[in-house]
Amino acid sequence: MANWFITGTSSGLGLALARAALARGDTVVGTVRAQADAQAFAALAPGRAHAMKLDVTDEAAVQVVVRTAQGLVGPLDYVVNNAGRGFTGAIEETSLEDARALFAVNVLGPMAVIKAVLPAMRARRAGHIVNVTSVSGLAAWHGTGLYGATKFALECLGRTLAQEVAPLGIRVTNVAPGGMRTAFAATRLPGAEPVIADYAQTAHVARAVLQDKHGHEPGSPERAAQAILTALDAPEPPLLLLLGEDALHYAEHEFAGLEAQIAQWKDLTLSIAAEPEVAGS
């Protein structure tokens, strides 16, 4: 049986993944923000479900909680960076204060967790780090530039980390979901203020679409959790796992467009080559 450490298990995908792991007999340490959520989580599987309060933006607290989790359940086999929040608004509308706050949660928080768990994983030459990013970390969509930027950053951290730790026996998987039927769009979706009317037909559409689709998103968090377990159990787990038909559609469309641009401008790309050096000069 495996030991899990999952951030953001009060609801949504984090809770669904914790439930799925517990259902197969694993032990899960889940982080929450409220005491009521901690009590509800621990009741899922007394003795195997352990809740710890944590704000991932507090690096010192992350270190303490990770050490406590390791002391409580032993070596951590799977560490899942799931905690995060959303944001909508045009780039021009977004304050640097809001940008710093979102990066603190969505990028620096996962980085703090990664740094906290790696020493023990390196010592064991084992472990698997899972980063829940988003299709927004692969495909840009007006109105979600700041959120997408944090997920692009987490995608890069995960892919680079995979290269750095592969020789040490540690694996990394980035999970990029599309829309799922969680409370994310309703409770964790602040927006930029004040708004600028010129962006009504572009950036402002994103928030309206996300809120209109709330409760009708195409993805099931429970099925997503099962898909993650299947991927992580594979002999060669993926570096990137897209989840959902919408995620697949947007990612394929984005990559096809970039590939076309690269091909169209290939000659100009290659035109900057320096002149060959002349022997003896």
Short mmCIF file of all heavy atoms in Angstrom, two decimals, residues 7 55-59 62 80-86 98-116 129-134 136-137 145-161 174:
data_model
loop_
_atom_site.label_atom_id
_atom_site.label_comp_id
_atom_site.label_asym_id
_atom_site.label_seq_id
_atom_site.Cartn_x
_atom_site.Cartn_y
_atom_site.Cartn_z
N THR A 7 -2.06 18.10 -1.56
CA THR A 7 -2.48 19.42 -1.10
C THR A 7 -3.85 19.76 -1.67
O THR A 7 -4.22 19.34 -2.76
CB THR A 7 -1.47 20.51 -1.52
OG1 THR A 7 -1.43 20.62 -2.96
CG2 THR A 7 -0.07 20.19 -1.00
N ASP A 55 -1.28 26.38 4.63
CA ASP A 55 -1.29 27.42 3.61
C ASP A 55 0.00 27.23 2.82
O ASP A 55 1.09 27.43 3.35
CB ASP A 55 -1.32 28.80 4.27
CG ASP A 55 -1.25 29.94 3.26
OD1 ASP A 55 -1.02 29.68 2.05
OD2 ASP A 55 -1.39 31.11 3.68
N VAL A 56 -0.10 26.81 1.56
CA VAL A 56 1.10 26.45 0.81
C VAL A 56 2.00 27.64 0.53
O VAL A 56 3.15 27.46 0.11
CB VAL A 56 0.74 25.75 -0.52
CG1 VAL A 56 0.07 24.42 -0.28
CG2 VAL A 56 -0.10 26.65 -1.43
N THR A 57 1.50 28.86 0.75
CA THR A 57 2.36 30.04 0.54
C THR A 57 3.29 30.28 1.72
O THR A 57 4.15 31.15 1.65
CB THR A 57 1.51 31.30 0.29
OG1 THR A 57 0.78 31.63 1.47
CG2 THR A 57 0.55 31.09 -0.87
N ASP A 58 3.11 29.52 2.79
CA ASP A 58 3.97 29.64 3.98
C ASP A 58 5.04 28.55 3.89
O ASP A 58 4.80 27.40 4.28
CB ASP A 58 3.12 29.48 5.24
CG ASP A 58 3.91 29.71 6.53
OD1 ASP A 58 5.15 29.57 6.50
OD2 ASP A 58 3.27 30.00 7.56
N GLU A 59 6.21 28.91 3.41
CA GLU A 59 7.26 27.91 3.16
C GLU A 59 7.68 27.19 4.43
O GLU A 59 7.90 25.97 4.42
CB GLU A 59 8.48 28.56 2.50
CG GLU A 59 9.56 27.57 2.12
CD GLU A 59 10.76 28.21 1.45
OE1 GLU A 59 10.80 29.46 1.36
OE2 GLU A 59 11.65 27.46 1.01
N VAL A 62 5.13 24.64 5.25
CA VAL A 62 5.23 23.50 4.33
C VAL A 62 6.28 22.52 4.82
O VAL A 62 6.05 21.30 4.86
CB VAL A 62 5.55 23.97 2.90
CG1 VAL A 62 5.90 22.78 2.01
CG2 VAL A 62 4.37 24.73 2.30
N VAL A 80 1.29 15.07 -4.38
CA VAL A 80 0.45 15.71 -5.39
C VAL A 80 0.26 17.19 -5.07
O VAL A 80 -0.33 17.55 -4.05
CB VAL A 80 -0.93 15.02 -5.48
CG1 VAL A 80 -1.76 15.65 -6.61
CG2 VAL A 80 -0.77 13.52 -5.70
N ASN A 81 0.75 18.04 -5.95
CA ASN A 81 0.54 19.48 -5.85
C ASN A 81 -0.78 19.82 -6.53
O ASN A 81 -0.84 20.02 -7.74
CB ASN A 81 1.69 20.23 -6.51
CG ASN A 81 2.92 20.31 -5.64
OD1 ASN A 81 2.83 20.69 -4.48
ND2 ASN A 81 4.07 19.95 -6.19
N ASN A 82 -1.84 19.87 -5.72
CA ASN A 82 -3.17 20.11 -6.26
C ASN A 82 -3.74 21.47 -5.84
O ASN A 82 -4.53 22.05 -6.58
CB ASN A 82 -4.12 19.00 -5.79
CG ASN A 82 -5.56 19.31 -6.10
OD1 ASN A 82 -6.00 19.25 -7.24
ND2 ASN A 82 -6.32 19.67 -5.07
N ALA A 83 -3.32 21.99 -4.69
CA ALA A 83 -3.88 23.25 -4.20
C ALA A 83 -3.61 24.37 -5.18
O ALA A 83 -2.51 24.49 -5.74
CB ALA A 83 -3.28 23.59 -2.83
N GLY A 84 -4.59 25.19 -5.41
CA GLY A 84 -4.44 26.32 -6.32
C GLY A 84 -5.73 27.09 -6.42
O GLY A 84 -6.77 26.68 -5.89
N ARG A 85 -5.69 28.22 -7.10
CA ARG A 85 -6.90 29.00 -7.32
C ARG A 85 -6.86 29.66 -8.69
O ARG A 85 -5.81 29.73 -9.33
CB ARG A 85 -7.12 30.04 -6.22
CG ARG A 85 -6.05 31.11 -6.13
CD ARG A 85 -6.35 32.03 -4.95
NE ARG A 85 -5.39 33.13 -4.83
CZ ARG A 85 -5.54 34.31 -5.44
NH1 ARG A 85 -6.59 34.53 -6.22
NH2 ARG A 85 -4.64 35.26 -5.29
N GLY A 86 -8.01 30.11 -9.13
CA GLY A 86 -8.11 30.70 -10.46
C GLY A 86 -8.14 32.21 -10.43
O GLY A 86 -8.09 32.85 -9.37
N ASP A 98 -2.17 41.34 -7.52
CA ASP A 98 -2.93 40.12 -7.78
C ASP A 98 -2.05 39.06 -8.44
O ASP A 98 -2.18 37.86 -8.15
CB ASP A 98 -4.14 40.42 -8.67
CG ASP A 98 -5.29 41.06 -7.91
OD1 ASP A 98 -5.34 40.89 -6.68
OD2 ASP A 98 -6.11 41.74 -8.55
N ALA A 99 -1.18 39.50 -9.34
CA ALA A 99 -0.29 38.56 -10.02
C ALA A 99 0.64 37.88 -9.03
O ALA A 99 0.82 36.65 -9.06
CB ALA A 99 0.51 39.28 -11.10
N ARG A 100 1.23 38.65 -8.14
CA ARG A 100 2.15 38.08 -7.15
C ARG A 100 1.41 37.09 -6.24
O ARG A 100 1.94 36.03 -5.90
CB ARG A 100 2.78 39.19 -6.31
CG ARG A 100 3.73 40.09 -7.09
CD ARG A 100 4.45 41.06 -6.17
NE ARG A 100 5.26 42.00 -6.93
CZ ARG A 100 4.89 43.25 -7.24
NH1 ARG A 100 3.72 43.70 -6.80
NH2 ARG A 100 5.67 44.03 -7.94
N ALA A 101 0.19 37.43 -5.86
CA ALA A 101 -0.58 36.56 -4.96
C ALA A 101 -0.91 35.23 -5.64
O ALA A 101 -0.84 34.17 -5.01
CB ALA A 101 -1.86 37.26 -4.52
N LEU A 102 -1.26 35.28 -6.92
CA LEU A 102 -1.62 34.05 -7.62
C LEU A 102 -0.39 33.18 -7.86
O LEU A 102 -0.44 31.96 -7.72
CB LEU A 102 -2.31 34.36 -8.95
CG LEU A 102 -3.04 33.17 -9.58
CD1 LEU A 102 -4.20 32.74 -8.71
CD2 LEU A 102 -3.53 33.49 -10.98
N PHE A 103 0.73 33.80 -8.23
CA PHE A 103 1.95 33.02 -8.40
C PHE A 103 2.40 32.41 -7.08
O PHE A 103 2.96 31.30 -7.07
CB PHE A 103 3.06 33.90 -8.99
CG PHE A 103 3.13 33.85 -10.49
CD1 PHE A 103 2.33 34.68 -11.26
CD2 PHE A 103 3.97 32.96 -11.14
CE1 PHE A 103 2.37 34.64 -12.64
CE2 PHE A 103 4.02 32.90 -12.53
CZ PHE A 103 3.22 33.75 -13.29
N ALA A 104 2.15 33.09 -5.98
CA ALA A 104 2.53 32.55 -4.68
C ALA A 104 1.81 31.24 -4.40
O ALA A 104 2.39 30.29 -3.87
CB ALA A 104 2.23 33.56 -3.58
N VAL A 105 0.52 31.17 -4.77
CA VAL A 105 -0.26 29.96 -4.52
C VAL A 105 0.01 28.89 -5.56
O VAL A 105 0.26 27.72 -5.22
CB VAL A 105 -1.78 30.29 -4.51
CG1 VAL A 105 -2.60 29.01 -4.37
CG2 VAL A 105 -2.11 31.25 -3.38
N ASN A 106 -0.05 29.27 -6.83
CA ASN A 106 -0.04 28.28 -7.92
C ASN A 106 1.34 27.83 -8.37
O ASN A 106 1.46 26.78 -9.01
CB ASN A 106 -0.78 28.85 -9.14
CG ASN A 106 -2.27 28.96 -8.91
OD1 ASN A 106 -2.77 28.64 -7.83
ND2 ASN A 106 -3.00 29.41 -9.91
N VAL A 107 2.38 28.60 -8.05
CA VAL A 107 3.73 28.24 -8.50
C VAL A 107 4.68 28.06 -7.31
O VAL A 107 5.30 27.01 -7.15
CB VAL A 107 4.30 29.29 -9.47
CG1 VAL A 107 5.70 28.88 -9.94
CG2 VAL A 107 3.38 29.48 -10.67
N LEU A 108 4.79 29.10 -6.48
CA LEU A 108 5.74 29.02 -5.37
C LEU A 108 5.29 28.02 -4.32
O LEU A 108 6.13 27.39 -3.67
CB LEU A 108 5.94 30.41 -4.77
CG LEU A 108 6.50 31.46 -5.73
CD1 LEU A 108 6.73 32.78 -5.00
CD2 LEU A 108 7.79 30.98 -6.39
N GLY A 109 3.97 27.86 -4.15
CA GLY A 109 3.47 26.85 -3.21
C GLY A 109 3.90 25.44 -3.61
O GLY A 109 4.51 24.71 -2.82
N PRO A 110 3.60 25.02 -4.86
CA PRO A 110 4.07 23.71 -5.31
C PRO A 110 5.60 23.58 -5.24
O PRO A 110 6.11 22.51 -4.90
CB PRO A 110 3.58 23.65 -6.75
CG PRO A 110 2.35 24.49 -6.75
CD PRO A 110 2.66 25.62 -5.81
N MET A 111 6.30 24.67 -5.55
CA MET A 111 7.77 24.61 -5.50
C MET A 111 8.24 24.35 -4.07
O MET A 111 9.18 23.58 -3.84
CB MET A 111 8.36 25.90 -6.03
CG MET A 111 9.88 25.88 -6.13
SD MET A 111 10.49 27.39 -6.92
CE MET A 111 12.26 27.12 -6.71
N ALA A 112 7.58 24.98 -3.10
CA ALA A 112 7.94 24.77 -1.69
C ALA A 112 7.71 23.31 -1.29
O ALA A 112 8.53 22.71 -0.58
CB ALA A 112 7.12 25.70 -0.80
N VAL A 113 6.61 22.73 -1.76
CA VAL A 113 6.33 21.32 -1.46
C VAL A 113 7.38 20.43 -2.10
O VAL A 113 7.91 19.49 -1.47
CB VAL A 113 4.92 20.93 -1.95
CG1 VAL A 113 4.71 19.43 -1.82
CG2 VAL A 113 3.85 21.69 -1.16
N ILE A 114 7.71 20.70 -3.36
CA ILE A 114 8.72 19.91 -4.06
C ILE A 114 10.04 19.95 -3.31
O ILE A 114 10.70 18.91 -3.09
CB ILE A 114 8.88 20.42 -5.51
CG1 ILE A 114 7.64 20.06 -6.33
CG2 ILE A 114 10.14 19.83 -6.16
CD1 ILE A 114 7.59 20.76 -7.69
N LYS A 115 10.47 21.15 -2.91
CA LYS A 115 11.74 21.28 -2.21
C LYS A 115 11.70 20.56 -0.86
O LYS A 115 12.73 20.04 -0.40
CB LYS A 115 12.06 22.77 -2.01
CG LYS A 115 12.47 23.48 -3.30
CD LYS A 115 12.57 24.98 -3.12
CE LYS A 115 13.62 25.39 -2.14
NZ LYS A 115 14.99 25.06 -2.60
N ALA A 116 10.53 20.52 -0.24
CA ALA A 116 10.42 19.87 1.07
C ALA A 116 10.49 18.35 0.98
O ALA A 116 11.02 17.69 1.89
CB ALA A 116 9.12 20.30 1.76
N ILE A 129 6.29 12.65 -7.98
CA ILE A 129 5.71 13.98 -7.77
C ILE A 129 4.70 14.25 -8.88
O ILE A 129 5.01 14.08 -10.07
CB ILE A 129 6.80 15.07 -7.74
CG1 ILE A 129 7.70 14.87 -6.52
CG2 ILE A 129 6.18 16.46 -7.74
CD1 ILE A 129 8.91 15.77 -6.49
N VAL A 130 3.50 14.65 -8.50
CA VAL A 130 2.42 14.91 -9.44
C VAL A 130 2.00 16.36 -9.31
O VAL A 130 1.64 16.81 -8.21
CB VAL A 130 1.22 13.98 -9.17
CG1 VAL A 130 0.10 14.26 -10.18
CG2 VAL A 130 1.64 12.52 -9.22
N ASN A 131 2.04 17.10 -10.40
CA ASN A 131 1.62 18.49 -10.41
C ASN A 131 0.32 18.64 -11.17
O ASN A 131 0.25 18.28 -12.36
CB ASN A 131 2.70 19.37 -11.06
CG ASN A 131 4.03 19.28 -10.36
OD1 ASN A 131 4.13 19.51 -9.16
ND2 ASN A 131 5.07 18.93 -11.11
N VAL A 132 -0.72 19.13 -10.51
CA VAL A 132 -1.97 19.38 -11.21
C VAL A 132 -1.88 20.77 -11.83
O VAL A 132 -1.92 21.79 -11.14
CB VAL A 132 -3.17 19.29 -10.24
CG1 VAL A 132 -4.47 19.60 -11.00
CG2 VAL A 132 -3.24 17.90 -9.63
N THR A 133 -1.71 20.79 -13.14
CA THR A 133 -1.60 22.06 -13.86
C THR A 133 -2.98 22.36 -14.45
O THR A 133 -3.95 22.47 -13.73
CB THR A 133 -0.51 21.98 -14.93
OG1 THR A 133 -0.84 20.99 -15.92
CG2 THR A 133 0.83 21.63 -14.30
N SER A 134 -3.08 22.48 -15.75
CA SER A 134 -4.35 22.76 -16.41
C SER A 134 -4.08 22.80 -17.90
O SER A 134 -2.95 23.07 -18.33
CB SER A 134 -4.91 24.12 -15.97
OG SER A 134 -5.99 24.53 -16.79
N SER A 136 -4.99 25.11 -19.46
CA SER A 136 -4.63 26.53 -19.58
C SER A 136 -3.14 26.75 -19.45
O SER A 136 -2.65 27.84 -19.74
CB SER A 136 -5.37 27.36 -18.52
OG SER A 136 -6.76 27.35 -18.75
N GLY A 137 -2.41 25.73 -19.00
CA GLY A 137 -0.96 25.81 -18.97
C GLY A 137 -0.34 25.33 -20.27
O GLY A 137 0.89 25.28 -20.41
N GLY A 145 -5.12 34.94 -18.84
CA GLY A 145 -3.67 35.06 -19.03
C GLY A 145 -2.86 34.87 -17.76
O GLY A 145 -1.84 34.18 -17.76
N LEU A 146 -3.30 35.47 -16.65
CA LEU A 146 -2.54 35.35 -15.41
C LEU A 146 -2.60 33.92 -14.87
O LEU A 146 -1.58 33.33 -14.51
CB LEU A 146 -3.06 36.33 -14.37
CG LEU A 146 -2.37 36.28 -13.02
CD1 LEU A 146 -0.88 36.55 -13.16
CD2 LEU A 146 -3.00 37.27 -12.05
N TYR A 147 -3.82 33.36 -14.83
CA TYR A 147 -3.97 31.98 -14.38
C TYR A 147 -3.15 31.04 -15.26
O TYR A 147 -2.40 30.18 -14.78
CB TYR A 147 -5.45 31.57 -14.40
CG TYR A 147 -5.70 30.12 -14.08
CD1 TYR A 147 -5.56 29.65 -12.78
CD2 TYR A 147 -6.08 29.22 -15.08
CE1 TYR A 147 -5.80 28.31 -12.48
CE2 TYR A 147 -6.32 27.89 -14.78
CZ TYR A 147 -6.18 27.44 -13.49
OH TYR A 147 -6.40 26.12 -13.20
N GLY A 148 -3.29 31.21 -16.58
CA GLY A 148 -2.54 30.37 -17.51
C GLY A 148 -1.04 30.52 -17.32
O GLY A 148 -0.30 29.55 -17.43
N ALA A 149 -0.59 31.74 -17.04
CA ALA A 149 0.85 31.96 -16.84
C ALA A 149 1.36 31.15 -15.66
O ALA A 149 2.47 30.60 -15.70
CB ALA A 149 1.12 33.45 -16.62
N THR A 150 0.56 31.06 -14.59
CA THR A 150 1.00 30.26 -13.44
C THR A 150 1.06 28.78 -13.81
O THR A 150 1.95 28.06 -13.34
CB THR A 150 0.07 30.45 -12.22
OG1 THR A 150 -1.24 29.93 -12.50
CG2 THR A 150 -0.03 31.91 -11.83
N LYS A 151 0.12 28.34 -14.64
CA LYS A 151 0.09 26.93 -15.01
C LYS A 151 1.16 26.61 -16.05
O LYS A 151 1.72 25.51 -16.05
CB LYS A 151 -1.31 26.55 -15.51
CG LYS A 151 -2.38 26.64 -14.43
CD LYS A 151 -2.04 25.77 -13.21
CE LYS A 151 -3.15 25.74 -12.18
NZ LYS A 151 -2.85 24.85 -11.05
N PHE A 152 1.45 27.55 -16.96
CA PHE A 152 2.59 27.38 -17.87
C PHE A 152 3.86 27.23 -17.04
O PHE A 152 4.72 26.39 -17.34
CB PHE A 152 2.71 28.60 -18.79
CG PHE A 152 2.04 28.48 -20.12
CD1 PHE A 152 0.68 28.73 -20.25
CD2 PHE A 152 2.76 28.12 -21.25
CE1 PHE A 152 0.04 28.63 -21.49
CE2 PHE A 152 2.14 28.03 -22.49
CZ PHE A 152 0.78 28.27 -22.62
N ALA A 153 3.99 28.06 -16.01
CA ALA A 153 5.19 28.01 -15.16
C ALA A 153 5.29 26.66 -14.43
O ALA A 153 6.37 26.06 -14.36
CB ALA A 153 5.16 29.15 -14.14
N LEU A 154 4.16 26.17 -13.91
CA LEU A 154 4.18 24.89 -13.21
C LEU A 154 4.47 23.75 -14.17
O LEU A 154 5.16 22.78 -13.82
CB LEU A 154 2.85 24.67 -12.49
CG LEU A 154 2.77 23.45 -11.55
CD1 LEU A 154 3.89 23.49 -10.51
CD2 LEU A 154 1.41 23.39 -10.87
N GLU A 155 3.96 23.86 -15.40
CA GLU A 155 4.29 22.86 -16.43
C GLU A 155 5.79 22.80 -16.64
O GLU A 155 6.39 21.72 -16.68
CB GLU A 155 3.60 23.22 -17.76
CG GLU A 155 2.18 22.71 -17.89
CD GLU A 155 2.12 21.20 -18.08
OE1 GLU A 155 3.11 20.61 -18.54
OE2 GLU A 155 1.07 20.63 -17.76
N CYS A 156 6.42 23.96 -16.77
CA CYS A 156 7.87 24.00 -17.01
C CYS A 156 8.64 23.47 -15.81
O CYS A 156 9.61 22.71 -15.97
CB CYS A 156 8.30 25.43 -17.33
SG CYS A 156 10.05 25.57 -17.77
N LEU A 157 8.21 23.83 -14.60
CA LEU A 157 8.87 23.31 -13.41
C LEU A 157 8.81 21.79 -13.38
O LEU A 157 9.81 21.12 -13.10
CB LEU A 157 8.20 23.87 -12.15
CG LEU A 157 8.57 25.28 -11.72
CD1 LEU A 157 7.77 25.67 -10.49
CD2 LEU A 157 10.05 25.40 -11.43
N GLY A 158 7.64 21.25 -13.69
CA GLY A 158 7.48 19.80 -13.65
C GLY A 158 8.32 19.09 -14.70
O GLY A 158 8.97 18.08 -14.42
N ARG A 159 8.32 19.62 -15.92
CA ARG A 159 9.08 18.97 -16.99
C ARG A 159 10.58 19.05 -16.73
O ARG A 159 11.32 18.09 -16.97
CB ARG A 159 8.75 19.62 -18.34
CG ARG A 159 7.32 19.41 -18.78
CD ARG A 159 7.13 19.92 -20.19
NE ARG A 159 5.73 20.25 -20.44
CZ ARG A 159 5.29 20.74 -21.58
NH1 ARG A 159 6.14 20.99 -22.57
NH2 ARG A 159 4.01 21.01 -21.75
N THR A 160 11.03 20.21 -16.24
CA THR A 160 12.45 20.36 -15.93
C THR A 160 12.84 19.46 -14.75
O THR A 160 13.89 18.81 -14.77
CB THR A 160 12.77 21.82 -15.60
OG1 THR A 160 12.32 22.66 -16.67
CG2 THR A 160 14.27 22.02 -15.42
N LEU A 161 11.99 19.45 -13.74
CA LEU A 161 12.25 18.58 -12.58
C LEU A 161 12.37 17.13 -13.00
O LEU A 161 13.24 16.40 -12.51
CB LEU A 161 11.13 18.74 -11.55
CG LEU A 161 11.25 17.90 -10.29
CD1 LEU A 161 12.45 18.36 -9.46
CD2 LEU A 161 9.96 18.00 -9.46
N ASN A 174 2.87 15.66 -14.85
CA ASN A 174 2.01 16.84 -14.87
C ASN A 174 0.63 16.42 -15.36
O ASN A 174 0.51 15.84 -16.44
CB ASN A 174 2.56 17.92 -15.80
CG ASN A 174 3.80 18.60 -15.25
OD1 ASN A 174 4.11 18.50 -14.06
ND2 ASN A 174 4.52 19.30 -16.11
#
